[in-house]
Amino acid sequence: DDTEIQTVLEHWLLYWMDVAREIRTAQPHDMLLNVDHAQMIAHIASRVALGEVVRQVRGLMDMLRYLQQNVSMRVAIDVFLLQLPVV
């Protein structure tokens, strides 16, 4: 269902935005939206460059846009998942 896919993509988007915040600030995890995942976010932030995070955020935004268009969502998600960084 497209609504469920959109919800998952939005959660992933917020997660990657937290990773970007972690990379850009040396402050405690006060600014994180996913505070309960602070350790994992810090781990990912220590292993992924900011440019890669920006690429993931853009990819997720593209996926959300594709939901509004006539795109094979299964293929689009497969391509997106294959491009995720290994951490």
Side-chain angles (χ1 to χ4, degrees), residues 30-44:
D30 297 345
M31 308 250 334
L32 297 180
L33 298 173
N34 296 289
V35 178
D36 53 330
H37 294 271
Q39 274 189 303
M40 182 55 74
I41 289 168
H43 173 75
I44 294 170

Side-chain angles (χ1 to χ4, degrees), residues 17-31:
M17 291 172 74
D18 275 348
V19 173
R21 280 186 200 93
E22 185 74 16
I23 291 172
R24 296 197 65 196
T25 64
Q27 300 174 1
H29 308 298
D30 297 345
M31 308 250 334

Side-chain angles (χ1 to χ4, degrees), residues 2 5-6 9-10 13 55 57-73 76:
D2 285 353
I5 293 171
Q6 181 175 350
L9 292 173
E10 288 170 349
L13 181 61
R55 193 169 77 80
V57 168
R58 286 182 180 153
L60 286 162
M61 292 172 74
D62 288 345
M63 295 291 293
L64 288 167
R65 228 179 1 266
Y66 295 156
L67 275 176
Q68 308 304 316
Q69 301 170 357
N70 190 16
V71 172
S72 170
M73 192 48 58

Side-chain angles (χ1 to χ4, degrees), residues 73-85:
M73 192 48 58
R74 175 174 272 178
V75 172
I77 289 173
D78 284 348
V79 170
F80 176 76
L81 291 175
L82 289 170
Q83 295 175 3
L84 285 173

